[in-house]
Amino acid sequence: MRDRACRFERVVALAGGIGGARLLDGLAAVLPPGALTAVVNTGDDFEHWDLRISPDLDTVMYTLAGLAHPERGWGLADESFRALAMIERYGGDTWFQLGDRDLATHLWRTQLLRAGMRLSAVTERLYRALGIEVRVLPMADLPRRTIIEATDGRRLAFQDWLVRERASPTVRAVSFEGTSEPAPAALEAVHAADLVIICPSNPYVSIDPILGLDGVRSALRGRTVVAVSPIVHGQAIKGPLAGMITSLTGRPPSAAAIAAHYRGLLSAIVVERGDEAGVEVPVHGTATVMGGRPGRADLARDVLRFAESLA
Amino acid sequence: MRDRACRFERVVALAGGIGGARLLDGLAAVLPPGALTAVVNTGDDFEHWDLRISPDLDTVMYTLAGLAHPERGWGLADESFRALAMIERYGGDTWFQLGDRDLATHLWRTQLLRAGMRLSAVTERLYRALGIEVRVLPMADLPRRTIIEATDGRRLAFQDWLVRERASPTVRAVSFEGTSEPAPAALEAVHAADLVIICPSNPYVSIDPILGLDGVRSALRGRTVVAVSPIVHGQAIKGPLAGMITSLTGRPPSAAAIAAHYRGLLSAIVVERGDEAGVEVPVHGTATVMGGRPGRADLARDVLRFAESLA
């Protein structure tokens, strides 16, 4: 697109980390300026080294700024870990790998939050400083924490489960603690949207935290909502999703399981070509695995054209 | 020494930044293990990027650990400034140059202080982690801030004056805000000392903050107190001392001005050979400019032998 008029003027994309960030990057490239608002999961946010860390907001920011590490799925390209090595020498926590440049993001965010700025405003300031024009909103201004309830009886903060324990405890349930109030601008954006895209992010820990906020599900009702499946041929591109589907639903990971999870919410779903079987809503099979920026823009165009065809 | 018995068993050295740190390093090398306690100025401490920074404690720590930058007089050798460059991109404060490895020190100290640990205990933990065996105490556990009163009428926090304004506003007076209570172990150490050495540090902003704490001056009374002049042939090796002497006393910078500043407190003073003129207490002229570690040990031996000769 950008070569021809897009039917949609107010697109809202709900996103978590890396898969969501990459599709957002593609949508930003093909939609007209001002048409896209991203609402990003903050359920993974936590405090570490007394700093406020927002992993998904940062993955999206680094990706949109073209600064993300190309393979790792988190953090910056051209990163160093010299502060971390020194913290290790002091006997501090090193299970969460904070790079030197990344550290500046958390230091600056923490300063602004402590000075009384809302997370929405802090996010806008950080993104602008890196030259990002897309409007990106945290799902909530106050903390809402994703809790992993493990089959061994423990309730683990999300990063403890994912990073410290390397996602090895089997997940029995996912719950949330904290505010249920969405960031005001995020809810307004959903109310005004003529298309909502659910990015290829983990439904349980990236999208459900957003959907569970007060008023979000009812704001989605009656709108065109298109999901992109994060499961490709039975596997997750990144992260612990495949194992979570198995442990939470008893079903093997599939695009159909994703569609079933969002039952009642979706107008349609975009899946990897060949993954259409068993999907109970209108489905579009295409190449969903994004490589670099051209692949992201290709998928974004494809999703938007499919969404137009639904009208 | 270490080659022969030292008369002194409990030496207390009062110190500020780089000059003090280097003499401490020499004293640590020549005194028997356990004989030396350093009491270090914390009047320069401040908050920056929401981190608690203790410049003199860190200069001493890096120097004693053999990690200090060899020329710069602050920070670590083999340092990088990648977080700082990113903070600059975000529009944050960059007038105080925090290196990536140095940042770890402030992050870890801040975490421990916020967890409720006293600065004395935090300092002990940091020093031990870097393998330092000398006992180093902050002068106070609570903040006591050095304020520079400038001739233009402004009252500047010390780092604002020294670093942000490059020590250019002329100093009319130096005052202190905050606690007047010394760290308990620091006062005990002075009470138990058989020799007190005032390191070649700035009297106004490194040593006076310590001397002004409740009970310190009276604890020094009757003890052997030997200062080492930080002025060499009319100049300060590092820092803004020479200009401060001129603006605060109306006299040119000299070893005699240092001895006069400490009037009533000193048993004797060690000065650079040739700088003895006008000194009103017993004086020992020697080579006081320390180069690397051998030069520091040489000066330490010289000061200790001179102190022995006073008995």
Side-chain angles (χ1 to χ4, degrees):
Chain A
M1 308 214 174
R2 281 207 180 159
D3 40 316
R4 63 186 183 82
C6 170
R7 213 206 88 189
F8 302 108
E9 290 173 3
R10 295 176 302 280
V11 178
V12 168
L14 311 183
I18 184 65
R22 289 180 177 168
L23 183 55
L24 288 177
D25 195 37
L27 289 166
V30 304
L31 282 166
L36 177 64
T37 299
V39 177
V40 174
N41 172 48
T42 56
D44 303 4
D45 290 18
F46 70 124
E47 295 238 344
H48 189 67
W49 298 359
D50 273 347
L51 301 173
R52 276 284 302 271
I53 300 179
S54 296
D56 285 356
L57 282 172
D58 289 347
T59 295
V60 169
M61 180 169 75
Y62 297 151
T63 301
L64 293 179
L67 299 174
H69 192 279
E71 287 95 36
R72 214 162 39 201
W74 55 270
L76 290 151
D78 183 29
E79 185 57 288
S80 52
F81 295 88
R82 308 192 77 218
L84 187 80
M86 197 76 178
I87 287 277
E88 183 161 34
R89 203 156 161 179
Y90 287 130
D93 272 337
T94 55
W95 58 270
F96 196 85
Q97 302 248 306
L98 292 175
D100 298 324
R101 299 175 73 212
D102 186 40
L103 205 43
T105 305
H106 312 309
L107 282 162
W108 186 229
R109 174 190 295 116
T110 303
Q111 283 176 75
L112 296 176
L113 288 171
R114 288 222 180 98
M117 207 181 269
R118 284 175 305 111
L119 183 60
S120 302
V122 171
T123 301
E124 185 181 350
R125 186 148 165 193
L126 286 165
Y127 276 61
R128 283 214 180 145
L130 296 190
I132 297 165
E133 286 168 16
V134 185
R135 188 174 181 224
V136 178
L137 301 167
M139 67 179 199
D141 278 316
L142 295 174
R144 172 175 175 83
R145 300 292 187 240
T146 299
I147 307 291
I148 298 294
E149 303 184 12
T151 51
D152 62 14
R154 288 184 299 163
R155 291 169 54 81
L156 296 163
F158 182 71
Q159 298 298 340
D160 281 343
W161 175 74
L162 180 73
V163 182
R164 199 203 288 243
E165 307 232 357
R166 295 162 195 272
S168 93
T170 303
V171 182
R172 189 178 58 74
V174 178
S175 59
F176 306 100
E177 287 179 356
T179 192
S180 61
E181 195 186 332
L187 188 60
E188 282 162 27
V190 175
H191 271 293
D194 52 13
L195 172 65
V196 176
I197 296 170
I198 298 180
C199 288
S201 297
N202 186 314
Y204 307 107
V205 296
S206 295
I207 303 301
D208 282 359
I210 308 174
L211 297 178
L213 294 166
D214 295 341
V216 172
R217 276 186 184 272
S218 63
L220 290 173
R221 209 166 295 145
R223 279 171 216 292
T224 304
V225 179
V226 176
V228 179
S229 172
I231 291 290
V232 171
H233 303 331
Q235 300 198 305
I237 305 289
K238 284 263 179 204
L241 173 58
M244 292 182 82
I245 294 177
T246 307
S247 69
L248 287 168
T249 70
R251 294 172 59 177
S254 67
I258 300 297
H261 180 80
Y262 291 131
R263 187 172 289 135
L265 201 69
L266 297 187
S267 311
I269 190 167
V270 175
V271 305
E272 184 69 14
R273 196 171 289 123
D275 280 353
E276 297 87 347
V279 174
E280 293 163 349
V281 289
V283 60
H284 172 54
T286 185
T288 62
V289 181
M290 295 166 278
R293 289 191 137 170
R296 299 170 193 174
D298 287 345
L299 179 59
R301 268 187 215 98
D302 206 345
V303 169
L304 290 169
R305 280 184 196 137
F306 172 59
E308 286 186 349
S309 76
L310 296 170
Chain B
M1 308 215 174
R2 281 210 180 155
D3 40 318
R4 62 184 184 84
C6 171
R7 212 205 90 187
F8 302 107
E9 290 173 4
R10 293 176 303 279
V11 177
V12 168
L14 311 184
I18 183 64
R22 288 179 178 169
L23 182 55
L24 287 177
D25 195 38
L27 289 166
V30 304
L31 282 167
L36 177 63
T37 299
V39 176
V40 174
N41 172 46
T42 55
D44 302 4
D45 290 17
F46 70 124
E47 295 239 343
H48 188 67
W49 298 359
D50 272 348
L51 301 174
R52 276 285 302 271
I53 301 179
S54 295
D56 284 356
L57 282 172
D58 289 348
T59 295
V60 170
M61 180 169 75
Y62 297 152
T63 302
L64 293 179
L67 299 174
H69 193 279
E71 288 94 38
R72 213 164 39 204
W74 55 270
L76 289 151
D78 183 28
E79 185 57 288
S80 53
F81 295 88
R82 308 192 78 219
L84 187 80
M86 196 78 179
I87 287 277
E88 182 160 35
R89 204 157 160 178
Y90 287 130
D93 272 338
T94 56
W95 59 270
F96 196 85
Q97 301 248 306
L98 291 175
D100 298 323
R101 299 175 73 211
D102 186 40
L103 205 41
T105 305
H106 313 308
L107 281 161
W108 186 229
R109 174 190 295 116
T110 303
Q111 284 177 72
L112 296 176
L113 288 171
R114 288 222 179 98
M117 209 181 267
R118 284 175 305 112
L119 182 60
S120 302
V122 171
T123 302
E124 185 180 351
R125 187 149 163 190
L126 287 165
Y127 275 62
R128 284 215 179 143
L130 297 189
I132 296 165
E133 286 167 17
V134 185
R135 188 173 181 226
V136 177
L137 301 167
M139 68 179 199
D141 279 315
L142 295 174
R144 173 175 175 84
R145 302 291 186 240
T146 299
I147 307 291
I148 298 294
E149 303 183 13
T151 51
D152 63 14
R154 287 184 298 163
R155 292 169 53 81
L156 295 164
F158 182 71
Q159 298 297 339
D160 281 343
W161 175 74
L162 180 72
V163 183
R164 201 203 286 243
E165 307 233 358
R166 296 163 194 272
S168 94
T170 303
V171 183
R172 189 178 57 74
V174 178
S175 58
F176 306 100
E177 287 179 357
T179 192
S180 62
E181 194 185 331
L187 189 59
E188 282 162 27
V190 176
H191 271 294
D194 52 15
L195 172 63
V196 175
I197 295 171
I198 298 180
C199 289
S201 298
N202 187 313
Y204 307 107
V205 296
S206 295
I207 303 300
D208 281 0
I210 307 175
L211 297 178
L213 293 166
D214 294 342
V216 171
R217 276 185 185 272
S218 64
L220 290 172
R221 208 165 295 144
R223 280 173 215 293
T224 305
V225 178
V226 176
V228 179
S229 171
I231 290 290
V232 171
H233 301 331
Q235 300 198 305
I237 305 289
K238 284 265 178 200
L241 173 58
M244 292 182 81
I245 293 177
T246 307
S247 69
L248 286 167
T249 71
R251 296 171 57 176
S254 67
I258 301 295
H261 179 80
Y262 292 131
R263 188 172 289 136
L265 200 70
L266 297 188
S267 311
I269 190 167
V270 176
V271 305
E272 185 70 15
R273 195 172 290 122
D275 281 354
E276 296 88 348
V279 174
E280 294 163 348
V281 290
V283 60
H284 172 55
T286 185
T288 62
V289 181
M290 296 165 279
R293 289 191 135 170
R296 299 171 193 173
D298 286 346
L299 179 59
R301 267 187 216 100
D302 207 346
V303 170
L304 290 168
R305 279 183 196 137
F306 172 59
E308 284 186 350
S309 75
L310 296 170

